[in-house]
Amino acid sequence: MIELNHINYQYDNFKVHFDIAIVAKERVVIVGPSGAGKSTLLNLIAGFIHPKSGDIILNKQYANNLLPGKRPVSMLFQDNNLFSHLTVEQNIALGLKPSLKLTVAEQQTICDILIQVGLDGFGKRYPEQLSGGQRQRVALARCLIQHRPILLLDEPFSALDQALRYEMLALVNQICDKFNLTLMMISHYLDDSLSYFSRCLVVDNGQIVFNGLPKQLKQPENSHIAKMLGFNFQ
Ligand SMILES: Nc1ncnc2c1ncn2[C@@H]1O[C@H](COP(=O)(O)OP(=O)(O)OP(=O)(O)O)[C@@H](O)[C@H]1O
């Protein structure tokens, strides 16, 4: 679970305030205009930035003072940050052991995870020998191998074409089922992908202005929010 209690944070002249509670295994999509504070929200949860005030509770543990690596969180970015001089297997292994000296059991874990993300047989390739979707699968595998219960995705599939984006969403959905993950994902899209999420947060100007079922965004009383987002549900 994720609780942000009266969280305040400020860049030079941009303030955010977040107050949310997300229960374990929820799947939350975060949308909002560019510069609204969506990445800031995930960065606060991941521990890359620290609130000026307020409490962050992750899986019932007070997390304000925890370094990113000690939080029960893994995060995937749009630029997957794979190392070009390392193979797929080695890139994934980094999530497990920075020394890359793996036991036989750990090597097997990597083989298993490659199968999970549909990349069986790709372990010896280098990132440049993969498509954009395959590279994102490797980055996703590196997150999953850490076995952290909270998965944060910062627009990881935005650069992919629609068919591949849906494929990746379906894969993430399956993975969340299998590993009982709590998911928060930033997206620029709110279309058929709605069905994968149990909740939608709309962030605008550093605040959450909508927190509800994705389908409620289609209701007439929320038409101003849908319009602000530029979504056309007709
Ligand atoms: N390191 C920083 N220093 C100063 N201002 C920043 C910094 N990072 C972000 N901001 C500002 O904070 C605001 C929120 O940024 P954030 O990246 O959270 O928005 P976003 O909703 O994720 O945007 P986008 O959809 O364009 O990625 C923006 O106005 C941005 O310019």
Side-chain angles (χ1 to χ4, degrees):
M1 50 71 100
I2 302 167
E3 266 183 47
L4 300 188
N5 296 327
H6 309 300
I7 291 294
N8 288 298
Y9 184 79
Q10 181 164 5
Y11 295 113
D12 305 336
N13 49 12
F14 184 82
K15 285 185 188 173
V16 304
H17 177 88
F18 296 123
D19 228 347
I20 42 170
I22 289 166
V23 299
K25 296 194 246 176
E26 265 198 89
R27 289 169 208 178
V28 181
V29 61
I30 305 163
V31 293
S34 181
K38 304 179 294 296
S39 297
T40 303
L41 172 61
L42 294 195
N43 286 332
L44 282 161
I45 297 169
F48 298 128
I49 54 176
H50 297 280
K52 305 283 180 240
S53 61
D55 296 333
I56 299 178
I57 318 280
L58 302 173
N59 284 9
K60 302 191 179 160
Q61 188 183 12
Y62 179 74
N64 284 46
N65 306 327
L66 292 182
L67 292 169
K70 298 285 178 200
R71 297 191 182 200
V73 170
S74 56
M75 185 157 166
L76 175 59
F77 301 91
Q78 184 172 357
D79 302 323
N80 46 50
N81 295 325
L82 297 182
F83 289 94
S84 57
H85 65 291
L86 298 180
T87 63
V88 164
E89 281 173 354
Q90 290 170 326
N91 267 288
I92 297 172
L94 280 179
L96 209 55
K97 242 185 200 174
S99 70
L100 299 181
K101 289 185 183 138
L102 303 186
T103 63
V104 173
E106 286 166 341
Q107 281 165 3
Q108 186 57 47
T109 309
I110 290 183
C111 290
D112 293 345
I113 225 94
L114 280 171
I115 294 170
Q116 294 290 333
V117 299
L119 286 179
D120 193 14
F122 286 74
K124 302 287 181 222
R125 290 203 193 185
Y126 288 87
E128 65 180 16
Q129 298 170 312
L130 301 175
S131 70
Q134 288 166 339
R135 281 198 282 269
Q136 279 304 53
R137 285 166 191 257
V138 177
L140 184 60
R142 189 171 60 192
C143 286
L144 295 176
I145 208 153
Q146 298 170 10
H147 287 296
R148 308 262 175 90
I150 297 171
L151 179 62
L152 306 179
L153 306 180
D154 192 345
E155 292 194 78
F157 314 133
S158 297
L160 306 179
D161 69 36
Q162 194 190 48
L164 208 48
R165 195 166 63 77
Y166 279 22
E167 208 179 280
M168 291 302 290
L169 279 171
L171 175 65
V172 166
N173 200 44
Q174 273 174 24
I175 281 170
C176 287
D177 278 342
K178 186 172 165 64
F179 295 98
N180 291 323
L181 301 180
T182 307
L183 172 71
M184 291 184 82
M185 182 178 117
I186 298 176
S187 177
H188 273 153
Y189 301 91
L190 206 50
D191 40 32
D192 292 349
S193 59
L194 282 180
S195 61
Y196 290 115
F197 297 96
S198 52
R199 198 200 296 217
C200 176
L201 300 179
V202 180
V203 178
D204 186 29
N205 199 22
Q207 313 247 357
I208 292 168
V209 296
F210 174 87
N211 177 355
L213 296 173
K215 66 181 182 192
Q216 287 173 326
L217 271 181
K218 294 181 180 177
Q219 291 169 355
E221 65 268 28
N222 293 316
S223 62
H224 61 293
I225 294 176
K227 197 170 162 198
M228 182 259 290
L229 295 168
F231 295 135
N232 183 0
F233 290 115
Q234 303 310 313

